[in-house]
Amino acid sequence: MNSKQIIEVLMQQPIEVCEQVSEVSVDMWGGFPKVIQEVFPNAMVVYSLSQKDEVLCY
């Protein structure tokens, strides 16, 4: 799946639901920030940096 397809699937959720999402945890795939910004405008992106509990917030 590419980012456009992922956005299309996630946009099937009501906008009220998408606006309530405050945090999304993702791996380091480069397409995620675009997807998150488009679908979940109020969400913070949290990246997992390793197998440990380290995270990076964007």
Side-chain angles (χ1 to χ4, degrees), residues 6-48:
I6 294 170
I7 290 169
E8 288 175 3
V9 170
L10 292 173
M11 290 298 286
Q12 293 175 15
Q13 297 297 314
I15 189 68
E16 295 84 9
V17 172
C18 294
E19 289 177 344
Q20 291 180 27
V21 175
S22 61
E23 183 177 292
V24 179
S25 178
V26 298
D27 65 21
M28 297 295 285
W29 177 60
F32 278 127
K34 177 184 174 188
V35 170
I36 302 309
Q37 288 175 337
E38 178 121 4
V39 180
F40 307 110
N42 300 317
M44 176 187 306
V45 178
V46 178
Y47 292 100
S48 175

